[in-house]
Amino acid sequence: MLPVTCVSLNAFNKRMENITNLAAQYAHSLLKTQDRRQHWQLNSKPFLLKYLNGIAEKCKLKWKVGVNEILQNLESVYLVFDAEPSGIVEQSQFSLVQKMKVGGFLSYSQTRNGQIVVWINFPCIDGMSDEKTKAEMLETIEPEELTEENVNRYIEKFLHEMIQWENDARDEIGFVRHKH
């Protein structure tokens, strides 16, 4: 049987080895986040802006490319449809109000650790629902995975979803309830 001090010393050494390994893993995670953020600024964001603008120019839809840079290292580049009349008009004795279709965008958004979340936000008819607009996350990727092939795949998925939104009656059937 080993003396108590040897067992305690072995347990202590194991714990210290574990703590040292975990500290090294944490330091590596911090460096990885820095690398991702640098890759986004130097490569991914400029690539997305150029590539998406090329798509928007080639495919003549009412859409544009935008950048959200309000929070550094939580930026996004997106392809968004312009707001436009929905064709739905609310009329009363005194007014006619054209309801606008807003939204519908594909976003490439940085996460807190520098990875990129690719997601879709669906359009909505302004003033027709109290619910938040539907969003769908497509994938979380590394910044270096933003290639022409992957971006094309996401744009195809986005357009497919927008076509379905326009063609399918997914909304509640009935009348808009007015709040009093």
Side-chain angles (χ1 to χ4, degrees), residues 32-45 47-48 108-111 113-117 140-147 150-151:
K32 184 67 178 166
T33 296
Q34 287 177 354
D35 290 346
R36 288 175 179 139
R37 289 174 175 168
Q38 184 176 22
H39 192 282
W40 169 262
Q41 290 299 331
L42 298 177
N43 303 102
S44 302
K45 185 167 68 169
F47 162 73
L48 280 171
Y108 301 86
S109 303
Q110 285 182 292
T111 64
N113 71 357
Q115 289 180 308
I116 308 303
V117 174
T140 301
I141 60 174
E142 296 294 326
E144 58 270 12
E145 293 178 282
L146 285 170
T147 62
N150 281 339
V151 171

Side-chain angles (χ1 to χ4, degrees), residues 104-163:
F105 63 84
L106 172 65
S107 181
Y108 301 86
S109 303
Q110 285 182 292
T111 64
R112 61 174 171 67
N113 71 357
Q115 289 180 308
I116 308 303
V117 174
V118 183
W119 60 287
I120 293 171
N121 188 287
F122 289 82
C124 69
I125 307 299
D126 195 30
M128 293 298 295
S129 174
D130 292 336
E131 296 179 24
K132 292 180 80 171
T133 57
K134 178 184 169 196
E136 179 181 330
M137 189 181 96
L138 301 181
E139 193 169 14
T140 301
I141 60 174
E142 296 294 326
E144 58 270 12
E145 293 178 282
L146 285 170
T147 62
E148 285 185 18
E149 181 182 333
N150 281 339
V151 171
N152 287 339
R153 183 169 51 90
Y154 299 132
I155 293 170
E156 288 170 0
K157 174 71 172 165
F158 171 61
L159 288 172
H160 175 74
E161 291 294 335
M162 294 302 102
I163 291 166

Side-chain angles (χ1 to χ4, degrees), residues 31-135:
L31 289 174
K32 184 67 178 166
T33 296
Q34 287 177 354
D35 290 346
R36 288 175 179 139
R37 289 174 175 168
Q38 184 176 22
H39 192 282
W40 169 262
Q41 290 299 331
L42 298 177
N43 303 102
S44 302
K45 185 167 68 169
F47 162 73
L48 280 171
L49 286 169
K50 182 178 180 182
Y51 195 76
L52 293 176
N53 274 308
I55 295 289
E57 190 64 34
K58 184 174 182 158
C59 302
K60 300 293 184 186
L61 296 172
K62 293 179 181 178
W63 59 1
K64 62 184 172 258
V65 177
V67 182
N68 181 343
E69 296 174 318
I70 293 171
L71 293 174
Q72 187 177 3
N73 295 320
L74 282 178
E75 300 172 353
S76 62
V77 174
Y78 54 88
L79 186 60
V80 61
F81 285 107
D82 294 336
E84 62 181 353
S86 68
I88 299 170
V89 178
E90 182 179 351
Q91 57 186 15
S92 72
Q93 184 177 356
F94 305 104
S95 67
L96 292 174
V97 177
Q98 174 69 252
K99 297 295 184 178
M100 299 296 288
K101 180 174 72 170
V102 295
F105 63 84
L106 172 65
S107 181
Y108 301 86
S109 303
Q110 285 182 292
T111 64
R112 61 174 171 67
N113 71 357
Q115 289 180 308
I116 308 303
V117 174
V118 183
W119 60 287
I120 293 171
N121 188 287
F122 289 82
C124 69
I125 307 299
D126 195 30
M128 293 298 295
S129 174
D130 292 336
E131 296 179 24
K132 292 180 80 171
T133 57
K134 178 184 169 196

